[in-house]
Amino acid sequence: PADVRRQIVAAIGDVFLPVALPADVSDDDLIALLGRDKKAENGAAKFVLARALGDVVAGVAVDEATVREGLM
């Protein structure tokens, strides 16, 4: 949810960690890297999704089109 996203971005910013990707990282590059993430299974990215701060669901498969939509 958008309110959870805002809370997470604010919390990350509060400890001076980056909240955006570098401009030179393309969507295609990121998609390729996600397939090699430690949570990936057989090259398919898995995500940890937050329902609220401290309330997450791990191992969620998200199709590439949805990932690309979220990168916009």
Side-chain angles (χ1 to χ4, degrees):
D3 60 324
V4 174
R5 182 185 186 284
R6 282 190 295 276
Q7 290 174 334
I8 292 170
V9 169
I12 292 169
D14 286 348
V15 293
F16 308 104
L17 293 173
V19 294
L21 291 172
D24 63 341
V25 176
S26 73
D27 291 355
D28 290 334
D29 291 340
L30 185 59
I31 297 291
L33 290 170
L34 286 172
R36 297 195 319 237
D37 183 81
K38 67 182 178 185
K39 293 177 293 299
E41 293 179 6
N42 298 319
K46 300 281 185 162
F47 292 84
V48 176
L49 303 180
R51 292 186 277 224
L53 287 179
D55 181 12
V56 299
V57 179
V60 178
V62 179
D63 64 86
E64 184 177 324
T66 301
V67 172
R68 287 183 181 280
E69 184 179 322
L71 295 173
M72 298 177 138

